Amino acid sequence: MLTEFLAPDRLDLVAAGSGEDGLHVLADADYDLLILDIMLPGMSGIDVLKQVRQENDIPIIMLTARGDDVDRILGLEFGADDYIAKPFNPRELLARIKAIMRRTRPPTSPGHRLAVGDIELDARSRRVTTGDASIRLTGTEFELLHCLAQTPAEVVTKEQLSQRALGRRNLPYDRSIDTHISNVRRKLSAAGVTSPVIQSRRGVGYFLAVDE
């Protein structure tokens, strides 16, 4: 049904009926985005997500059952970019797809490099480096860090971060931004980055604290 709905929007789609088949399809070509259902025969969507994230930074939208908050949080923690709960309006899924596709296009402006503290962000390659080492972030994680890095020491609200990184409003009780920020913090720390540090302003948003 989703294939039939999305095809008229000039999206070149490939469908797989199981997690194992999906991994084989993904290995055969380069794709712009993966729509991944958690409830799959055999290998679960979470297991597929973990395996994909070992070597592929493709943007991933998870399809979850309504009320399965644990699955949603697990999906985000293991590297999903966004999720949508079933049942859903296919038009909402299409809007999420378009939002992700827009933000993953490389910029055309010359000022695509940004240095903050011990890290450098390259908006064209969507890479973060510290010294000679690369820090592997998902597309959403990169977008959040890049948004914060553009205005160091200034608080960016969760609503602004959600619009920028997810292309949608920040919904009440939605912990997506918090989970993504937690992932970025963990990856920066694992890479030995001590500056900048992502700090929170309770009830408002996040900002980058940079050592002078």
Short mmCIF file of all heavy atoms in Angstrom, two decimals, residues 2 5-6 88-95:
data_model
loop_
_atom_site.label_atom_id
_atom_site.label_comp_id
_atom_site.label_asym_id
_atom_site.label_seq_id
_atom_site.Cartn_x
_atom_site.Cartn_y
_atom_site.Cartn_z
N LEU A 2 1.94 1.25 0.81
CA LEU A 2 2.81 2.42 0.86
C LEU A 2 3.53 2.62 -0.48
O LEU A 2 3.71 3.75 -0.94
CB LEU A 2 3.84 2.28 1.98
CG LEU A 2 3.30 2.48 3.40
CD1 LEU A 2 4.41 2.26 4.41
CD2 LEU A 2 2.72 3.88 3.56
N PHE A 5 1.20 4.26 -2.80
CA PHE A 5 0.92 5.65 -2.44
C PHE A 5 2.09 6.57 -2.77
O PHE A 5 1.91 7.68 -3.25
CB PHE A 5 0.59 5.76 -0.95
CG PHE A 5 0.37 7.18 -0.49
CD1 PHE A 5 -0.86 7.79 -0.67
CD2 PHE A 5 1.39 7.90 0.11
CE1 PHE A 5 -1.06 9.10 -0.26
CE2 PHE A 5 1.19 9.21 0.52
CZ PHE A 5 -0.05 9.82 0.33
N LEU A 6 3.32 6.10 -2.52
CA LEU A 6 4.49 6.96 -2.65
C LEU A 6 5.00 7.05 -4.09
O LEU A 6 5.65 8.03 -4.46
CB LEU A 6 5.60 6.46 -1.74
CG LEU A 6 5.33 6.52 -0.24
CD1 LEU A 6 6.44 5.81 0.53
CD2 LEU A 6 5.19 7.96 0.24
N PHE A 88 -1.21 5.54 10.65
CA PHE A 88 -0.86 6.91 10.33
C PHE A 88 -1.42 7.27 8.96
O PHE A 88 -1.76 6.40 8.15
CB PHE A 88 0.66 7.12 10.34
CG PHE A 88 1.40 6.18 9.43
CD1 PHE A 88 1.54 6.45 8.08
CD2 PHE A 88 1.96 5.02 9.94
CE1 PHE A 88 2.22 5.57 7.25
CE2 PHE A 88 2.65 4.14 9.11
CZ PHE A 88 2.77 4.43 7.76
N ASN A 89 -1.52 8.57 8.73
CA ASN A 89 -1.93 9.07 7.42
C ASN A 89 -0.72 9.00 6.50
O ASN A 89 0.33 9.57 6.82
CB ASN A 89 -2.43 10.51 7.55
CG ASN A 89 -3.04 11.04 6.26
OD1 ASN A 89 -2.58 10.71 5.16
ND2 ASN A 89 -4.06 11.86 6.40
N PRO A 90 -0.81 8.33 5.36
CA PRO A 90 0.35 8.25 4.46
C PRO A 90 0.90 9.62 4.06
O PRO A 90 2.09 9.75 3.78
CB PRO A 90 -0.21 7.51 3.24
CG PRO A 90 -1.34 6.69 3.78
CD PRO A 90 -1.95 7.55 4.86
N ARG A 91 0.05 10.63 4.07
CA ARG A 91 0.53 11.97 3.72
C ARG A 91 1.52 12.49 4.78
O ARG A 91 2.43 13.25 4.46
CB ARG A 91 -0.65 12.94 3.58
CG ARG A 91 -1.53 12.64 2.38
CD ARG A 91 -2.61 13.70 2.20
NE ARG A 91 -3.42 13.40 1.04
CZ ARG A 91 -3.11 13.72 -0.21
NH1 ARG A 91 -1.96 14.35 -0.44
NH2 ARG A 91 -3.89 13.42 -1.21
N GLU A 92 1.31 12.07 6.02
CA GLU A 92 2.26 12.48 7.06
C GLU A 92 3.61 11.81 6.83
O GLU A 92 4.67 12.44 6.98
CB GLU A 92 1.74 12.12 8.45
CG GLU A 92 2.68 12.56 9.57
CD GLU A 92 2.20 12.18 10.95
OE1 GLU A 92 1.09 11.62 11.08
OE2 GLU A 92 2.95 12.44 11.91
N LEU A 93 3.59 10.54 6.46
CA LEU A 93 4.85 9.85 6.15
C LEU A 93 5.55 10.52 4.98
O LEU A 93 6.77 10.74 5.01
CB LEU A 93 4.58 8.38 5.83
CG LEU A 93 5.81 7.56 5.39
CD1 LEU A 93 6.88 7.55 6.48
CD2 LEU A 93 5.40 6.14 5.02
N LEU A 94 4.79 10.88 3.95
CA LEU A 94 5.38 11.56 2.79
C LEU A 94 6.01 12.88 3.21
O LEU A 94 7.11 13.23 2.75
CB LEU A 94 4.32 11.80 1.72
CG LEU A 94 4.78 12.49 0.45
CD1 LEU A 94 5.89 11.71 -0.23
CD2 LEU A 94 3.59 12.69 -0.51
N ALA A 95 5.35 13.62 4.10
CA ALA A 95 5.90 14.88 4.58
C ALA A 95 7.20 14.65 5.34
O ALA A 95 8.16 15.43 5.20
CB ALA A 95 4.88 15.59 5.48
#
